[in-house]
Amino acid sequence: MVRAFLGMGLLGTNFVKALLDKGVEVQVWNRSPEKATALEAAGAKAFAAAADAVRGADHIHIAVKDDASVNQVLAAAVPGLKAGAVIIDHTTTSAEGAIQRTKEWKEKGFTYLHAPVFMGPANAREGSGFMLVSGDQAVIEKVKPLLEKMTGKLINFGPEEGKAAGMKLIGNCFLVTFAAGLADTLSLGKALHISAQDIGSLFDIWNPAQMLPTRLQRMSSGEYDKASWELNMARKDTQLFMNTVEHNNGTLAVIPAIAAEMDRWIEKGFGNSDWTVIAKDAVS
């Protein structure tokens, strides 16, 4: 069974190498041809045109930048698509784009499945990490054996088209805010002459990640009257963060925005509520 892979970035390249290791025949294409031809030494067949790369392939995988790139690449591949071919898109896209492509490609006589991933290059190479799917359960059942071999865990979010895309965006949103929060934490540490290693040792002993499920439940409950940390007090500490870093000529990326949001809720009369009240609009 021939597989095609369009998009030889870090993720696509390592997916292809893993497939080749398993003895799968893979045809590859990339906008920058050298990234595709580099895989010929590993056994892939590289093509200069997307349409040629997908010719004869039963399953076409794609991993590119965004919605527009997916649409452009698949439009270029149309002349070579085999009747009934299955398109599996690993690109992080909008939920709306995934829904629209599922509908449009079905009307054209092809199957499109959005399967975004929480996988880095190393995960793609070794078949670990997480791959997300949702939509037509019959389609998912057919490709499940193929996808399970590409990842550590295949997560099926049910029949709702676009839900996998939405869950991927939610995960990435958390990762972005998590990294930005860590950057601010490191900036505060620098201002206090506390090293990243010392901060790490604190988190080894006191692991705030353990609080995540309980904190999410608390924030989404809509109940903020019984405060474990009052918003006024959290805002006081937030000002200490900003004053300390500013005094040492440092910068903070996200804390000032959080402080402004806290001020908004304090002005609305929620100063004595639990500080997680700042999520009230997001869950109501």
Side-chain angles (χ1 to χ4, degrees):
M1 183 181 293
V2 180
R3 309 267 284 274
F5 217 112
L6 309 178
M8 293 296 99
L10 292 174
L11 193 66
T13 293
N14 283 282
F15 268 137
V16 169
K17 287 179 178 178
L19 290 171
L20 292 170
D21 286 346
K22 294 179 176 69
V24 179
E25 183 179 344
V26 189
Q27 300 174 173
V28 299
W29 171 89
N30 192 71
R31 276 198 179 97
S32 304
E34 62 273 11
K35 290 186 178 180
T37 55
L39 287 165
E40 289 182 321
K45 295 181 180 179
F47 293 85
D52 292 330
V54 303
R55 206 174 303 278
D58 299 287
H59 297 89
I60 295 95
H61 297 264
I62 181 167
V64 289
K65 182 182 179 181
D66 52 22
D67 285 286
S69 300
V70 173
N71 292 335
Q72 291 166 5
V73 171
L74 289 179
V78 168
L81 287 175
K82 180 180 179 179
V86 177
I87 300 163
I88 303 171
D89 182 10
H90 303 292
T91 309
T92 299
T93 70
S94 67
E96 293 83 357
I99 293 168
Q100 186 62 26
R101 277 185 291 277
T102 302
K103 178 177 180 291
E104 289 181 353
W105 284 97
K106 184 175 183 179
E107 291 172 352
K108 294 175 183 178
F110 302 97
T111 298
Y112 171 93
L113 177 67
H114 191 227
V117 299
F118 290 122
M119 299 171 68
N123 299 121
R125 188 71 176 86
E126 65 190 17
S128 61
F130 301 87
M131 187 176 292
L132 321 180
V133 291
S134 69
D136 189 325
Q137 295 297 289
V139 169
I140 292 171
E141 196 61 31
K142 287 181 180 178
V143 300
K144 184 178 177 181
L146 297 176
L147 299 184
E148 285 182 331
K149 293 176 182 177
M150 297 175 66
T151 187
K153 186 174 180 60
L154 182 67
I155 307 175
N156 185 347
F157 288 104
E160 184 181 341
E161 300 289 358
K163 189 166 186 179
M167 296 299 276
K168 166 64 174 177
L169 291 178
I170 287 169
N172 278 11
C173 179
F174 179 83
L175 292 176
V176 169
T177 54
F178 179 66
L182 278 179
D184 275 8
T185 300
L186 291 169
S187 291
L188 178 59
K190 182 178 180 180
L192 293 166
H193 309 291
I194 296 174
S195 69
Q197 290 72 25
D198 284 341
I199 293 171
S201 67
L202 169 64
F203 291 157
D204 284 339
I205 301 166
W206 170 69
N207 183 4
Q210 294 177 341
M211 303 177 187
L212 180 58
T214 303
R215 184 60 48 81
L216 178 60
Q217 185 178 13
R218 176 73 180 265
M219 295 178 75
S220 60
S221 71
E223 298 176 2
Y224 310 104
D225 293 337
K226 296 179 180 179
S228 61
W229 190 18
E230 289 186 354
L231 179 58
N232 282 327
M233 297 301 290
R235 179 63 180 88
K236 178 266 296 181
D237 286 3
T238 303
Q239 192 62 47
L240 286 173
F241 308 157
M242 293 191 292
N243 291 348
T244 301
V245 173
E246 182 180 1
H247 180 72
N248 287 272
N249 299 314
T251 58
L252 293 169
V254 295
I255 289 297
I258 294 171
E261 184 66 6
M262 287 177 166
D263 288 340
R264 186 171 77 88
W265 284 97
I266 290 171
E267 289 170 7
K268 292 169 69 171
F270 290 92
N272 294 323
S273 299
D274 190 81
W275 75 289
T276 57
V277 72
I278 61 174
K280 186 175 173 63
D281 285 346
V283 300
S284 59

